[in-house]
Structure formats: C-alpha cells, structure tokens
Amino acid sequence: MALKYRAPRGTNDLTYPSSEKFTAVVEAACGIMSLYGYQRIVTPIIESTDLFRRSIGESTDIVTKEMYSFEDRGGEWLTLRPEGTAPVVRAFLEQGLASKGLPQKLYYAGPMFRRERPQAGRFRQFFQIGAEAIGSRDPFGDAEIIAISDHLFKHLGLEGYSLLLNSVGCSDCRPAYVAQLGEFLTRVRDSLCVDCKRRADENPLRVFDCKNESCRQAVAEAPGIGDALCPDCTEHFDGVKRHLERMSIPFGIDPRMVRGLDYYTNTAFEFQFEGLGAQNTVSGGGRYDYLAEELGGPATPGVGYSLGIERLIMVIQAQGLDPFNPPGLDLYVAGAPGTDRDRLLEILMEMRRAGVSADADTMERGLKAQMKQADRLRARLVMIIGPDELERGEATVRDLDRSEQWTVPIKQATPRVKDYLARAERPPAEDKDSDG
RNA sequence: GUGGACGUAGCUCAGUUGGUUAGAGCGCCGGGUUGUGGCCCCGGAGGUCGGGGGUUCGAAUCCCCUCGUUCACCCCA
C-alpha cells in the first residue's frame, strides 16, 4: 500500500506456489535442451557495456534507450545484461571453448534486464532461457535450435502457436537489399507516417512492421528480401526449411520479419501465440555468423534462440494447462500439550536427515493450530506426539489426505514413514493459486 | 518517451445525488472439540480510503497536482 519500499517498476516477487511452478517450467525447458545435447553455461549478470554496444548494435532500441548501465567505483562501465547471446559468445571466446571441440552447444537460463515501459508480457527484469550452437553453419543446426521451442511447447501441451521464418541475408546480399529498399522508400516517402520516415533512415526493414494502413499500402510493392538473397543464402535457407519439414514442424515464411538485434544473419525466426495480447512472441532467435569476429575472435558461425519464461507461463495459464502440483511437505511433527518439545525436534531432525521433508511448530501453538498449519503446508502426514505416546514409545501418524491414523513405535518411525510415503499416491490438490 | 484506464483491509471488491463510528467475501488469530486439519458456528485483529493541496458546515465521493499500477504505442522474450 503506502509502503515505503516496493519492488522496482517492472520487476516482480514470485511467491509460493507460483515460485515452484516457475521453477518447474524452467526445469522442463532445461531438460529438453539437455535432450538435444546442450550443456549449461552460467555467465555473469553484468558485462562490460561495450560488449552489448558492439554486438547488439549502436542504433538499436536496446542499446540507445533500454540498457541499465552504470559506472562502477573503478570507473568501469558495466551493464545489466539485456540478452544472453553476446555474453555466451564472449565466454566462448574468453574460455577458448573452441578447443573443446566444435560445435559448442550451450544453454543458459537467467534474468535479463531492459528499461522499457512495462505492459502485459513485458517486464524490466524477465527470465530467459536460451541456447547457442557455436561453430557450425549447417542448416540442421538452425532447424535444431528452432525445434527446441516446438518440442517444449508440445511437451507442455500447448497449441495455438505458429513459427515464422525469414532469412535476412548475409554481409554480401543484405546491404544491397537494404540499399534497394531504402531507394524504394525514398520514392514513396510522402505516404509514410512520421515513424516510418524515421525508420526509412535508421533501419528501412522496420517499415514493414508498421500497422498504419497508408504505410502498408505504400510498401506493398516494395522489393522482397527473398529475391535479393545471394545463392549461398538461398541455399542455406532452403536447407533450414527442408530440415523443418522433415521434422514435421510447420512454419510460415514472413519476408517482412526483422529482429531487433543487428547481429542476425540468414535465419531469423519467432514463435507467436494467439490470445496473448500485444506481446505475443514467446520465443525467437536466429543465426549470427559474424558476431564472434565482431567481438574480436576468429570467424565462427553460430545460431541461437531465447525464450521468455513469463510469457510461456502466461500461455500455459491462458490455455488452462497447469498440470503441475506444487510440492507439499512429507511430514509435520505436531506435539500435544505437555509433550517434550526437545524430543519432538529431535525426531524432526532425524526425519530430515533421512530425506523426509518435514517441519514442526515453533510458535508454541495448540494442537489444533498445528494441524491447521500442517494442512496449509500441504503435509501428507502428521506425526502427533504427546506425553502418553512418549511414555509408551509410540507416535500417532495421520494421513491428512485420507483422514486415517495409526500408531508406530517411535524407534521405527523413520523407516515406517519413509515406507508409507514411498507407496500411496497423492490425490491432486485443488489449486487456490491463479497467477502462476 | 507518448496515450488511455484504474488506485478503499493481506487478496478480490461494495460504498446510493458529498452527510456522522468505512463495509462484505476470502485469508489471518482465537474459541466451539481440556490431544486432531480440510466442512459448519461464534468472536477478534487488521484501513493515514495511494500521497499532497483545494472547494465545502462536512470529502472515499467534486477539482488540481503528484506517485503508483495496468493496458496500448515504440520495440521486444
């Protein structure tokens, strides 16, 4: 409310059970990348500002207005990473990973930062997973990178998405095309909106993105990049399409799709979902054959993608697919009035050491309140220990899902509990949480 | 950076043309059950009505400013 400290704009707190679901989705995605032979790489969240300026491009939106940059106390300019590819390629070069054999297939998962106005599906801190295959220019690598997202979506049971594909050419054919397009735009400049006039100067390809009707009409006759590709690029693009077809991954060609990072060459792609609001791209990526060179390393081709976990979770929710049950506690150790609490806590620790997730009351509350707490923690079992049980060397064990209870000798409690937990299935809990 | 919508309890929201101690449901704490959760019943705690200023005898309600949230543009995951 009128609290003094709040999470910064565009950042979010994730609490249980959303936090557990979030983790489960990330783990599912990482599991699939392992399936494709990718290995995790963990890079710093801060990098030198210059790394991003050089790689993403001086004139891009990210570099000109969205980076969180600061000068540290030693006078060095650092930036909170706005994307994952440049850091991975930097690490690839710095660690000499090429000597470990090519291609290097690396995946990452972590927060990214961009200072934009937040809206549905857009945050200032957001969580991306992604993968980079560095070293090969084979179109199969492009198709494989694309297949990861498709595989994950199908694994999660999602539908209503489409894959858009384009080739933005190489250093041979793209400049010629951009020049050709620029020339065309000069001729129709009068019918372009103010934004598009600016785009025509800064990045002509972006004019295709405009939703303004007069702009759309004006560029309808514009030359397409497909016709401008050099033979090498055409062949590569055909290869990507062929592999996707053989993988039975449907796609559409969008000759007007441009991506916002300058380092892309050849393949560019996006996965878009229906019914997501304005930010409907969940996953996207492409090839970057000059990036390693640009960063001062040997010429090394690469291809990669990244996927926004928050957007993915939005889709899962929108499609009513939430198979994930947040984990509950195995056991709650409850004490009846007058029991020896020290003995209780001993049993608690014994259970934990045996691998049983367990908790106990530390608020000196009555048994009823402890039972309620056990229920809230979604405990499967409650072990009730009172003075008389201790005297008999027994404990009452209650299954909260089935409302049945029995007694076990305290000395055998741990193996008995473990044994019970290993059997009986848990009924699915009704989910009171809606945000994730 | 630009534009629209919205800010009342931890959450979701009522609040009649401005009128006296600001309400509900859920959640939380306690009791009904001197040792048993989820259902039911009873009680309780919890709110500078986002903040500031103004109009008025009187403002949650009207006006201005400000902060925040949200959706959209730009662009992207």
Side-chain angles (χ1 to χ4, degrees):
Chain A
M1 294 275 37
L3 278 173
K4 189 173 175 186
Y5 298 107
R6 313 168 53 92
R9 167 174 284 180
T11 68
N12 293 106
D13 299 316
L14 258 188
T15 61
Y16 179 90
S18 303
S19 51
E20 297 287 355
K21 292 179 181 180
F22 183 93
T23 305
V25 170
V26 171
E27 280 173 359
C30 293
I32 285 169
M33 292 191 281
S34 302
L35 220 50
Y36 281 67
Y38 286 77
Q39 299 170 334
R40 183 159 188 171
I41 181 170
V42 179
T43 65
I45 284 178
I46 46 172
E47 294 276 359
S48 92
T49 299
D50 219 39
L51 171 68
F52 297 115
R53 301 177 69 95
R54 285 297 292 278
S55 59
I56 297 171
E58 294 282 358
S59 71
T60 58
D61 279 11
I62 292 178
V63 170
T64 56
K65 54 189 193 193
E66 295 174 2
M67 295 208 302
Y68 281 100
S69 300
F70 63 97
E71 186 178 11
D72 83 351
R73 297 187 180 211
E76 188 178 0
W77 277 93
L78 299 173
T79 294
L80 261 44
R81 63 181 183 198
E83 62 102 35
T85 299
V88 169
V89 172
R90 191 227 84 226
F92 168 88
L93 297 172
E94 184 171 342
Q95 301 303 322
L97 295 183
S99 70
K100 291 189 170 181
L102 296 178
Q104 281 288 306
K105 297 171 64 169
L106 308 166
Y107 81 81
Y108 59 85
M112 304 295 164
F113 306 83
R114 291 182 203 170
R115 214 208 103 102
E116 301 179 87
R117 278 285 281 269
Q119 71 186 72
R122 168 187 294 160
F123 312 96
R124 289 183 172 184
Q125 175 176 335
F126 54 102
F127 200 97
Q128 275 191 345
I129 57 158
E132 315 292 344
I134 306 174
S136 168
R137 213 182 91 86
D138 192 299
F140 181 77
D142 303 54
E144 182 184 86
I145 279 284
I146 291 170
I148 294 171
S149 296
D150 184 68
H151 195 134
L152 175 62
F153 299 152
K154 289 200 171 89
H155 172 78
L156 294 170
L158 302 175
E159 44 197 38
Y161 63 89
S162 52
L163 166 61
L164 296 178
L165 206 58
N166 192 21
S167 175
V168 296
C170 64
S171 63
D172 283 338
C173 49
R174 180 162 42 173
Y177 171 71
V178 171
Q180 192 187 347
L181 180 62
E183 210 171 290
F184 171 86
L185 291 174
T186 314
R187 292 204 298 276
V188 298
R189 193 177 180 88
D190 289 345
S191 40
L192 297 177
C193 67
V194 278
D195 283 335
C196 281
K197 284 184 177 130
R198 176 178 53 78
R199 291 183 184 118
D201 299 331
E202 290 176 2
N203 192 345
L205 295 167
R206 292 234 163 274
V207 177
F208 288 131
D209 283 342
C210 191
K211 283 150 192 156
N212 186 305
E213 192 51 41
S214 79
C215 294
R216 300 192 87 117
Q217 280 175 16
V219 299
E221 299 293 308
I225 189 155
D227 304 325
L229 292 180
C230 64
D232 194 41
C233 287
T234 305
E235 190 190 336
H236 189 273
F237 195 33
D238 287 344
V240 176
K241 291 188 274 195
R242 189 180 76 245
H243 283 116
L244 286 173
E245 277 158 11
R246 293 178 77 97
M247 291 174 182
S248 301
I249 297 174
F251 58 86
I253 304 292
D254 183 355
R256 308 178 318 172
M257 183 181 62
V258 198
R259 314 208 71 253
L261 296 82
D262 281 357
Y263 53 62
Y264 284 120
T265 55
N266 293 293
T267 314
F269 70 92
E270 284 186 6
F271 280 92
Q272 300 186 348
F273 276 79
E274 299 162 2
L276 249 204
Q279 262 57 51
N280 61 354
T281 300
V282 170
S283 170
R287 179 161 278 285
Y288 44 84
D289 287 346
Y290 310 123
L291 180 54
E293 231 175 325
E294 180 67 28
L295 297 181
T300 315
V303 60
Y305 86 102
S306 65
L307 180 150
I309 292 292
E310 291 87 352
R311 289 185 186 176
L312 180 60
I313 288 173
M314 284 170 71
V315 176
I316 293 173
Q317 236 124 45
Q319 302 197 2
L321 299 167
D322 200 354
F324 178 70
N325 268 321
L329 211 55
D330 290 327
L331 177 74
Y332 193 88
V333 181
T339 201
D340 177 359
R341 272 173 47 87
D342 285 0
R343 181 76 188 102
L344 233 65
L345 298 176
E346 247 174 56
I347 294 171
L348 170 69
M349 288 305 290
E350 192 184 316
M351 287 291 175
R352 289 169 171 172
R353 282 193 293 266
V356 176
S357 64
D359 206 356
D361 174 62
T362 52
M363 307 240 308
E364 313 235 353
R365 286 197 279 208
L367 182 59
K368 181 176 177 151
Q370 294 179 61
M371 292 297 291
K372 204 169 175 178
Q373 179 68 3
D375 191 55
R376 263 196 294 253
L377 295 172
R378 297 197 55 222
R380 291 183 67 176
L381 299 175
V382 175
M383 181 177 281
I384 302 164
I385 304 173
D388 32 329
E389 271 104 338
L390 276 180
E391 215 167 292
R392 292 196 306 270
E394 287 183 334
T396 299
V397 175
R398 181 178 177 86
D399 183 324
L400 289 186
D401 298 329
R402 303 182 176 196
S403 301
E404 294 166 4
Q405 64 185 50
W406 59 93
T407 59
V408 299
I410 290 180
K411 282 184 176 167
Q412 293 172 36
T414 305
R416 290 283 198 93
V417 164
K418 286 198 74 168
D419 189 55
Y420 185 86
L421 290 169
R423 285 173 306 165
E425 281 277 307
R426 267 213 107 161
E430 79 277 21
D431 188 1
K432 292 168 188 164
D433 180 70
S434 58
D435 66 2

